[in-house]
Amino acid sequence: MGRNPRTRVRGPSFNRLIPNIMTMLGLCAGLSGMRFALEHQFEPAAVALLIAACIDGLDGRIARLLKGATRFGAEFDSLSDFVCFGVAPSFVLLMWSLEHAGRYSFVPCILFTVCMALRLARFNASLDDDDKPDYSYSFFTGVPAPAGAGLVLFPVFLGLEADRLHAEGLAAFARLPLVSAVCLIVTGLLLVSTLPVWSFKNFKVPARYVLPLMLGTGLYAALLVADPWGALAGAGLLYIAILPFSRRSYHRLKLAAEEMSETVEEEPA
């Protein structure tokens, strides 16, 4: 007797679903951070948002590696970013210090979330822009979404570090509503600004700096394990400090490109 023919399953392969599954896990991590914040468990809330940020940095690269990048995946990733980096951080800060700060305490949270939505919409629209100069591909326009979420959570990182060190004065400062409000407003403005910010995924490291960079990364990883909240707060301050250098680098490349273009136009045919 002959064997029954196998029914052929139609649909995408599992490899193509892995990036979307990772995006789903990142979204769940962001929502879990909101749930922990609602219960005033701020350490698990911060960890959940950090996990969401790590997943966001991996899912796109895995999609390109597995050749599973789709329009659905890009839209899903953008919506997940809005929840994890636009809604969840402002909700965490609301529960951290702004919950009982008055009738206007929710305004900075709304401002930050709206700025994050505008930043993501602008980023998605720029993906179809083919007229950008070559030097601009190494820069973001405005602070990227995961970095913005990390910057706005600076009061939480500082407060958790102060609690670990039993520094009551610093802990009280980190929980001031004004500190959280300033972080929300300033970070929101950085998100929608036209400030050129280094995109480290396209950043080329000179050969002489490779070894120091690797040693510094290893040192920071050890510091992150030994003192995570202090390391994260320090990383936020360092990121703010490099923004002027990023802007200067962008304008230097822009001037060099304009001078080269003028030289080419002035050459005789």
Side-chain angles (χ1 to χ4, degrees):
M1 295 180 62
R3 302 175 64 181
N4 293 330
R6 293 181 59 185
T7 303
R8 188 170 183 178
V9 179
R10 295 185 179 182
S13 64
F14 182 75
N15 286 346
R16 292 179 178 270
L17 294 178
I18 290 177
N20 294 334
I21 293 174
M22 294 188 64
T23 303
M24 178 67 74
L25 293 175
L27 177 60
C28 293
L31 295 173
S32 299
M34 296 173 65
R35 178 248 178 182
F36 286 125
L38 191 62
E39 298 176 351
H40 292 269
Q41 300 180 24
F42 294 106
E43 286 195 16
V47 171
L49 295 184
L50 290 173
I51 292 174
C54 293
I55 292 176
D56 178 70
L58 294 175
D59 56 3
R61 290 171 174 80
I62 292 177
R64 290 188 291 270
L65 182 63
L66 299 177
K67 298 180 180 180
T70 61
R71 185 66 180 178
F72 171 83
E75 296 296 334
F76 184 33
D77 182 68
S78 181
L79 292 173
S80 175
D81 288 350
F82 174 68
V83 174
C84 295
F85 308 135
V87 178
S90 60
F91 185 82
V92 170
L93 284 183
L94 178 67
M95 305 305 297
W96 172 258
S97 62
L98 296 173
E99 185 178 9
H100 303 292
R103 59 188 300 181
Y104 298 109
S105 61
F106 193 57
V107 174
C109 300
I110 293 177
L111 176 65
F112 173 79
T113 302
V114 169
C115 289
M116 182 64 75
L118 294 174
R119 193 261 178 273
L120 292 171
R122 183 178 64 183
F123 175 77
N124 293 340
S126 67
L127 295 177
D128 300 327
D129 185 8
D130 298 329
D131 298 331
K132 294 191 300 183
D134 292 338
Y135 61 83
S136 66
Y137 284 96
S138 297
F139 296 87
F140 290 115
T141 302
V143 172
L151 290 177
V152 83
L153 289 174
F154 175 78
V156 178
F157 299 148
L158 183 64
L160 294 175
E161 176 65 13
D163 291 340
R164 190 187 70 83
L165 297 175
H166 303 289
E168 296 181 0
L170 186 60
F173 172 78
R175 284 179 168 81
L176 287 176
L178 181 61
V179 174
S180 297
V182 168
C183 287
L184 286 165
I185 294 172
V186 172
T187 307
L189 295 178
L190 287 175
L191 289 169
V192 297
S193 69
T194 57
L195 180 70
V197 180
W198 274 318
S199 173
F200 293 104
K201 60 182 180 181
N202 297 324
F203 188 76
K204 293 184 178 180
V205 181
R208 64 178 180 274
Y209 294 132
V210 171
L211 184 58
L213 178 63
M214 295 179 65
L215 291 175
T217 303
L219 179 62
Y220 181 77
L223 182 62
L224 189 64
V225 173
D227 187 7
W229 310 122
L232 291 170
L237 295 176
L238 180 62
Y239 191 86
I240 291 293
I242 68 172
L243 292 181
F245 298 98
S246 175
R247 181 178 182 275
R248 187 180 66 176
S249 175
Y250 177 85
H251 286 289
R252 184 182 299 170
L253 292 174
K254 182 180 179 180
L255 290 175
E258 290 176 351
E259 291 175 359
M260 186 178 298
S261 177
E262 293 175 357
T263 303
V264 172
E265 291 177 357
E266 292 174 359
E267 288 183 355

